[in-house]
């Protein structure tokens, strides 16, 4: 391994930030209601670190390396901390990152290798939650092993650490370059002490992101001596490189030592400039106050009034989680790494983002943003268009400018169409339309990705659906789920084509949108796999799950049969009419919750019968009752999920947070509505949770939802008034919100006839 000498100067300056006054804190400090530990237990996979909204850097504690519940690097049940890394994913079902782990030490600095499957690092410290604190933009913990208090805060591209040491002649830090979350391959590691207060370095790793390049620049407030430790360990026949920088100094009792740490995916100069621009001084409390201010700007987009403090905390924590991803990927000078893994430049006022979990977030997060932050949502669409131009196609899940090929569908079409029909068009519409068509057609040329990855980025399923009219289950994995999502995405394209006057394409994709009909078996009344001979796959069990290796995706026939959000009347007709449809829908929620199969998907959680709220394919289903004259069922089931699957506790999420989707579902439904079909600017009314909600719209208008006779027992709607006029149907439009006004919902303890069509 080669360690290059990297030269630079130490930057010293002063950062002046305005902290909130005590009066403002009492009125405007929404961060007081956020509990970052929600979702850090169970399978929520969230992280309590010190992040700002959509930050490039995510500094925070790391407690485990391996296993599904290590996805964010932190798990609430753990009792030791390995150190504090600067990159991570929060709330996902896959893991990556965990770069540049910094750990303060007192006494001997141990470097022995414990094996890739060990959760602990040699210098890990015990800790307790009683001495741990987290709030938006700030994290602290007492490291029992070393007697050191650790504190973290951040800007968008830089982190500041503050450590309070005991008196010691053997104090220091370990900067662990080979550390990562799960068993990544460290292909290259470089680190250099520029002087006795500055480190800089580079790392290339391969895991979910098949080529992740990351640079750092770090400045310490106290001079150090250093030792570079490198080794190569052989484990299970593989050579594993080890690289750590050991820093040494003496400390007085309660002496505070600070470190500033910035990153860039472009180059070392990018990391240096990011630190120079965002964190020139050492004002830890000022950086923390500015981070709080940024969070309050996001959280204040919605005001809720309630006497239930737990529900208030759940709501604002959901808002917090909804603003963590996507993540900024542009340096302060406008440079960024494109999907072709080349350096590009953009206007600094039009930044580029990464970490798009679109399979999850098209359902609720992006529709939520069209209400409370539509212009940022347009920024995301512009980022996705750039990714199409640089890499050859929209990503389904991009991670650090890498195609991962993970998940299904081409849901950028949903984001674009939903924004367009709602009137948000600050992007190149023609280029977006072109990119949607490119994603929907089978074409493996021009995609910038390794050859082994291209079949995942561009699956042949798109060829089959466009030529055969359906996807044979004996030729393509997850055929039913792909087909149903393609049908929805093709419907989105047909809507966009119609809006742009492309009648021929509109008609073509409208026909594709009806393809869901091929998969409905009238005998079993489930969506089933069809083989290349046109015969149903047998044997068939609607409760069977073989994770990511059957006809469905992270689900079963019970959950996927309902994914026709764009044509619910058509699905009702397929099932034999409203009564038959309702009978089948009732059976979903009443069926036994047991799953069958050798490798059942761990994502199928939050079960009510076979409805699985812990994963995204089920998220629209509760509101389907509104389309068949049973609105009281939507109300009582929404109530059941809001009160029964979201808690103010570490295991307060019933499934992976998934980059804001689980939280966005809660935010919308707790306000009393949900968008069943992004691309149709219509909201379905459910069960409002709060006494009053005020949505602070971007143009200074407000939309207020006031709930009369609100209580936990009164979960049914008796009447609704929109701007003083009775609303007799359980639907209203996006324009009703953006025009501003008031919706008054009167509640009842028993089901009522409100919202049922008069026939």
């Amino acid at each position: 391994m080669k360690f290059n000498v990297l030269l630079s100067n130490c930057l010293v300056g002063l950062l002046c930030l305005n902290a909130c006054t005590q009066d403002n804190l009492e009125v405007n400090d929404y961060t007081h209601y956020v509990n970052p530990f929600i979702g850090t237990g169970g399978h929520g996979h969230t992280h309590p670190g010190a992040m700002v909204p959509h930050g490039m850097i995510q500094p925070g504690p790391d407690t485990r390396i391996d296993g599904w519940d290590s996805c964010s690097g932190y798990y609430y049940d753990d009792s030791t901390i390995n150190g504090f890394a600067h990159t991570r994913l929060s709330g996902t079902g896959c893991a990556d990152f965990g770069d540049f782990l910094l750990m303060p030490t007192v006494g001997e600095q141990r470097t022995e290798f414990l094996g890739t499957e060990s959760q602990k690092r040699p210098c890990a410290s015990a800790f307790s939650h009683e001495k741990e604190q987290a709030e938006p933009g700030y994290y602290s913990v007492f490291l029992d092993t070393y007697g050191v208090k650790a504190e973290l805060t951040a800007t968008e591209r830089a982190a500041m650490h503050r450590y309070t040491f005991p008196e010691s002649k053997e104090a220091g830090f370990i900067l662990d370059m080979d550390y990562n979350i799960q068993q990544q391959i460290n292909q290259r590691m470089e680190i250099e002490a520029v002087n006795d207060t500055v480190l800089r370095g580079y790392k290339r790793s391969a895991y979910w992101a098949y080529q992740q390049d990351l640079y750092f620049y770090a400045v310490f407030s106290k001079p150090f001596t250093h030792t570079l430790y490198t080794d190569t360990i052989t484990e299970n026949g593989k050579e594993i490189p080890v690289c750590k920088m050991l820093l040494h100094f003496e400390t007085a009792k309660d002496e505070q030592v600070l470190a500033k740490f910035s990153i860039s995916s472009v180059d070392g100069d990018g990391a240096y400039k990011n630190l120079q621009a965002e964190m020139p001084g050492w004002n830890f409390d000022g950086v923390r106050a500015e981070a709080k201010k940024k969070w309050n700007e996001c959280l204040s987009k919605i005001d809720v009034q309630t006497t239930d403090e737990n529900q208030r905390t759940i709501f604002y924590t959901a808002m917090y989680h909804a603003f963590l991803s996507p993540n900024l990927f542009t340096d302060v000078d406008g440079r960024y790494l494109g999907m072709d893994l080349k350096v590009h430049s953009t206007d600094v006022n039009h930044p580029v983002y990464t970490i798009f979990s679109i399979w999850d977030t098209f359902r609720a997060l992006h529709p939520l943003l069209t209400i409370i932050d539509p212009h940022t949502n347009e920024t995301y669409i512009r980022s996705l268009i750039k990714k199409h131009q640089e890499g050859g196609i929209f990503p389904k899940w991009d991670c650090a400018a890498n195609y991962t090929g993970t998940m299904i569908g081409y849901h950028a079409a949903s984001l674009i169409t939903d924004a367009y029909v709602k009137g948000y068009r600050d992007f190149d519409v023609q280029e977006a339309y072109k990119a949607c068509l490119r994603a929907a057609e089978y074409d493996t040329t021009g995609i910038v990705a390794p050859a082994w990855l291209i079949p995942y980025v561009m699956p042949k399923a798109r060829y089959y659906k466009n030529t055969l009219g359906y996807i044979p289950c004996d030729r393509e994995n997850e055929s039913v789920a792909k087909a149903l999502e393609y049908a929805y995405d093709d419907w989105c394209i047909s809507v966009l084509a119609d809006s742009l006057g492309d009648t021929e394409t509109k008609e073509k994709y409208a026909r594709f949108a009806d393809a869901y009909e091929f998969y409905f078996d009238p005998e079993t009344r489930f969506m089933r796999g069809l083989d290349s001979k046109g015969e149903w796959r047998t044997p068939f069990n609607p409760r069977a799950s073989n994770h990511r290796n059957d006809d469905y995706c992270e689900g079963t026939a019970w959950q996927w049969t309902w994914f026709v959000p764009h044509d619910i009347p058509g699905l009702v007709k397929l099932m034999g009419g409203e009564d038959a449809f309702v009978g089948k829908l009732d059976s979903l929620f009443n069926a036994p919750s047991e799953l069958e199969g050798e490798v059942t998907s761990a994502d199928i959680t939050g079960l009510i019968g076979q409805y699985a709220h812990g994963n995204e394919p089920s998220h629209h289903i509760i509101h389907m009752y509104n389309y068949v004259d049973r609105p009281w069922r939507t109300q009582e089931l929404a109530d059941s999920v809001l009160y029964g699957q979201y808690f103010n506790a570490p295991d307060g999420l019933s499934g992976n947070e998934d980059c804001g989707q689980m939280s966005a579902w809660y935010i919308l439904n707790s306000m009393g509505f949900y968008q069943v079909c992004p691309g149709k600017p219509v909201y379905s009314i459910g069960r409002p949770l709060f006494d009053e909600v005020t949505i602070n719209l971007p143009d200074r208008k407000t939309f207020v939802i006031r709930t009369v006779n609100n209580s936990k027992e009164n979960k049914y709607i008796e009447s609704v008034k929109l701007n003083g006029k009775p609303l007799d149907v359980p639907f209203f439009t996006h324009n009703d919100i953006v025009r501003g006004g008031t919706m008054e919902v009167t509640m009842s303890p028993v089901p009522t006839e409100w919202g049922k069509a008069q026939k």
Side-chain angles (χ1 to χ4, degrees):
M1 185 178 299
K2 181 180 179 182
F3 296 87
N4 296 331
V5 177
L6 306 173
L7 299 176
S8 185
N9 294 319
C10 176
L11 175 67
V12 179
L14 179 65
L15 179 63
C16 297
L17 298 168
N18 293 323
C20 297
T21 66
Q22 185 62 38
D23 288 343
N24 284 337
L25 280 171
E26 291 176 1
V27 176
N28 299 323
D29 188 8
Y30 298 84
T31 66
H32 176 72
Y33 304 117
V34 175
N35 177 7
F37 292 107
I38 291 177
T40 59
H43 298 306
H45 297 176
T46 63
H47 194 273
M51 288 86 83
V52 297
H54 308 297
M56 176 187 291
I57 197 166
Q58 303 91 34
D62 287 74
T63 67
R64 65 169 56 188
I65 300 169
D66 290 308
W68 193 43
D69 289 325
S70 73
C71 283
S72 77
Y74 178 97
Y75 195 65
Y76 194 82
D77 289 351
D78 294 336
S79 59
T80 58
I81 286 177
N82 293 323
F84 305 92
H86 292 84
T87 61
R88 67 191 72 255
L89 298 166
S90 182
T92 59
C94 292
D96 208 318
F97 305 146
D99 298 295
F100 309 139
L101 186 85
L102 185 67
M103 185 60 163
T105 59
V106 175
E108 179 187 5
Q109 293 179 323
R110 298 168 56 198
T111 56
E112 68 267 26
F113 187 72
L114 299 182
T116 59
E117 295 185 0
S118 171
Q119 299 288 8
K120 291 185 180 181
R121 301 305 267 186
C123 282
S125 172
F127 80 104
S128 68
H129 296 303
E130 288 74 21
K131 297 178 182 179
E132 185 182 37
Q133 178 186 352
E135 64 185 42
Y138 174 79
Y139 173 85
S140 80
V141 68
F142 189 79
L143 301 173
D144 293 332
T145 300
Y146 302 117
V148 173
K149 180 181 180 180
E151 298 175 274
L152 301 173
T153 189
T155 61
E156 280 78 7
R157 301 169 178 88
M160 186 174 286
H161 304 239
R162 183 166 67 186
Y163 298 99
T164 304
F165 280 85
E167 182 179 3
S168 176
K169 294 184 179 297
E170 293 184 297
F173 291 103
I174 295 180
L175 181 56
D176 196 336
M177 294 289 288
D178 60 87
Y179 186 88
N180 49 44
I181 298 169
Q182 300 196 0
Q183 299 177 37
Q184 302 174 35
I185 300 172
N186 294 320
Q187 298 175 325
R188 187 177 175 187
M189 294 177 286
E190 300 175 3
I191 186 169
E192 184 68 22
V194 177
N195 54 44
D196 64 357
T197 58
V198 177
L199 299 176
R200 63 187 300 179
Y202 161 71
K203 180 178 179 179
R204 172 175 287 181
S205 61
Y207 193 59
W208 198 24
Y210 62 86
Q211 181 180 313
Q212 187 217 359
D213 292 305
L214 195 64
Y215 301 81
F216 80 86
Y217 191 88
V219 183
F220 295 81
S221 65
K222 186 178 182 67
F224 54 74
T225 60
H226 67 277
T227 304
L228 178 63
Y229 175 82
T230 63
D231 202 350
T232 300
I233 304 296
T234 300
E235 184 181 68
N236 298 325
K238 296 181 180 179
E239 291 190 347
I240 301 171
V242 177
C243 175
K244 308 177 196 303
M245 182 66 86
L246 314 181
L247 308 183
H248 319 283
F249 45 79
E250 296 182 8
T251 53
K253 184 178 183 294
D254 294 332
E255 181 177 351
Q256 291 185 337
V257 181
L258 282 76
K260 299 184 295 185
F261 214 108
S262 61
I263 59 173
S264 168
S265 291
V266 175
D267 55 27
D269 286 342
Y272 171 78
K273 291 177 182 177
N274 288 343
L275 188 64
Q276 183 181 40
E278 294 189 357
M279 203 174 282
W282 294 99
N283 186 352
F284 183 95
D285 293 328
V287 175
R288 178 183 175 183
E290 183 65 17
K292 180 189 287 277
K293 179 182 177 182
K294 291 172 182 175
W295 275 113
N296 275 318
E297 289 172 356
C298 292
L299 300 174
S300 66
K301 294 179 186 296
I302 304 176
D303 285 297
V304 300
Q305 293 184 17
T306 180
T307 58
D308 189 331
E309 292 304 315
N310 275 325
Q311 290 299 335
R312 191 198 309 272
T313 295
I314 295 166
F315 182 88
Y316 282 108
T317 304
M319 288 284 286
Y320 168 74
H321 285 148
F323 280 93
L324 287 175
S325 297
N327 299 98
L328 182 67
F329 205 56
T330 309
D331 287 347
V332 292
D333 59 5
R335 295 184 304 154
Y336 69 95
L337 198 66
M339 295 299 290
D340 53 3
L341 299 181
K342 297 178 181 178
V343 176
H344 298 261
S345 293
T346 186
D347 184 333
V348 293
N349 296 315
H350 294 88
V352 172
Y353 291 79
T354 187
I355 313 302
F356 282 96
S357 181
I358 305 177
W359 184 81
D360 304 291
T361 57
F362 86 88
R363 306 166 199 266
L365 178 63
H366 292 281
L368 171 66
L369 293 176
T370 64
I371 300 171
I372 63 175
D373 201 359
H375 303 305
T376 296
N377 197 55
E378 290 170 315
T379 299
Y380 298 154
I381 292 172
R382 291 195 295 269
S383 289
L384 289 168
I385 293 171
K386 285 181 180 290
K387 293 175 188 297
H388 146 78
Q389 293 169 327
E390 296 156 358
I393 193 170
F394 279 136
K396 293 177 290 182
W397 221 120
D398 93 283
C399 183
N402 283 208
Y403 287 109
T404 65
T406 302
M407 304 315 296
I408 59 176
Y410 29 93
H411 298 310
S414 175
L415 273 62
I416 291 163
T417 302
D418 195 48
Y420 186 90
V421 299
K422 291 175 178 174
Y424 305 117
R425 303 168 185 178
D426 187 14
F427 52 89
D428 188 333
V429 174
Q430 289 297 330
E431 186 66 16
Y433 179 46
K434 172 185 172 184
C436 289
L437 294 173
R438 167 72 174 91
E441 299 289 336
Y442 181 71
D443 182 358
T444 61
T445 63
I447 299 175
V448 184
W452 62 266
L453 186 57
I454 288 178
Y456 298 93
V457 176
M458 174 54 75
K460 202 168 184 180
R462 300 183 201 183
Y463 168 80
Y464 296 130
K465 70 101 176 174
N466 288 340
T467 56
L468 300 180
Y470 76 103
I471 304 171
C473 63
D474 53 344
R475 296 184 184 179
E476 189 77 8
N477 192 39
E478 299 179 328
S479 62
V480 175
K482 287 176 181 175
L484 296 174
E485 293 206 349
Y486 292 172
Y488 163 70
D489 289 332
D490 286 345
W491 173 84
C492 291
I493 293 173
S494 75
V495 171
L496 193 58
D498 188 41
S499 299
L500 298 176
D502 186 350
T503 303
E504 182 179 351
T505 302
K506 179 259 183 184
E507 292 176 350
K508 172 183 176 181
Y509 279 86
R511 290 193 300 270
F512 287 162
D514 290 336
Y516 70 88
E517 296 175 355
F518 285 106
Y519 304 91
F520 184 74
D521 173 15
E523 183 175 339
T524 63
R525 301 174 71 233
F526 285 101
M527 298 290 184
R528 292 182 58 183
L530 278 171
D531 66 20
S532 52
K533 296 180 180 178
E535 298 176 354
W536 299 117
R537 182 196 288 277
T538 56
F540 172 70
N541 180 351
R543 292 197 303 274
S545 168
N546 188 8
H547 180 65
R548 301 308 306 270
N549 194 31
D550 55 21
D551 294 340
Y552 308 95
C553 177
E554 297 185 357
T556 68
W558 268 116
Q559 291 108 43
W560 276 100
T561 291
W562 310 97
F563 192 76
V564 190
H566 59 290
D567 189 15
I568 295 174
L571 183 60
V572 171
K573 184 178 178 181
L574 270 184
M575 288 193 174
E578 283 192 5
D579 290 342
F581 180 88
V582 170
K584 185 69 173 179
L585 194 52
D586 285 342
S587 69
L588 169 71
F589 293 96
N590 296 328
S593 295
E594 289 77 20
L595 301 174
E596 298 179 13
E598 293 183 5
V599 189
T600 58
S601 178
D603 294 285
I604 306 174
T605 57
L607 288 162
I608 303 175
Q610 284 287 320
Y611 169 85
H613 188 74
N615 207 25
E616 283 66 28
S618 289
H619 275 187
H620 66 294
I621 298 175
I622 283 172
H623 283 264
M624 296 179 98
Y625 280 105
N626 274 346
Y627 293 78
V628 286
D629 287 340
R630 274 75 169 178
W632 58 87
R633 283 289 285 153
T634 290
Q635 295 154 27
E636 64 190 14
L637 286 165
D639 178 271
S640 175
V641 173
L642 288 167
Y643 278 112
Q645 298 205 28
Y646 291 86
F647 303 100
N648 182 15
D651 60 349
L653 296 171
S654 59
N656 306 155
E657 167 58 27
D658 285 324
C659 294
Q661 169 59 26
M662 286 287 287
S663 288
W665 190 98
Y666 179 88
I667 293 166
L668 290 169
N669 278 276
S670 68
M671 291 193 294
F673 61 92
Y674 190 73
Q675 187 175 1
V676 171
C677 181
K680 290 183 181 179
V682 174
Y683 299 107
S684 169
I685 295 175
R687 185 265 197 264
L689 202 60
F690 301 108
D691 298 334
E692 185 169 297
V693 172
T694 301
I695 302 173
N696 298 303
L697 300 168
D699 59 359
R700 298 185 182 276
K701 296 178 184 176
T702 61
F703 186 75
V704 178
I705 302 167
R706 188 171 296 119
T707 309
V708 181
N709 296 333
N710 186 35
S711 70
K712 192 170 183 179
E713 294 74 25
N714 293 357
K715 59 187 174 184
Y716 299 102
I717 293 178
E718 182 176 290
S719 65
V720 176
K721 291 181 180 179
L722 181 60
N723 295 324
K725 297 180 180 179
L727 183 67
D728 297 324
V729 295
F731 304 100
F732 64 104
T733 69
H734 185 74
N735 282 337
D736 291 328
I737 292 180
V738 298
R739 281 195 295 259
T742 301
M743 178 180 287
E744 185 176 277
V745 184
T746 301
M747 305 302 291
S748 166
V750 295
T752 74
E753 291 294 299
W754 176 85
K756 184 175 181 180
Q758 303 300 311
K759 297 181 180 178

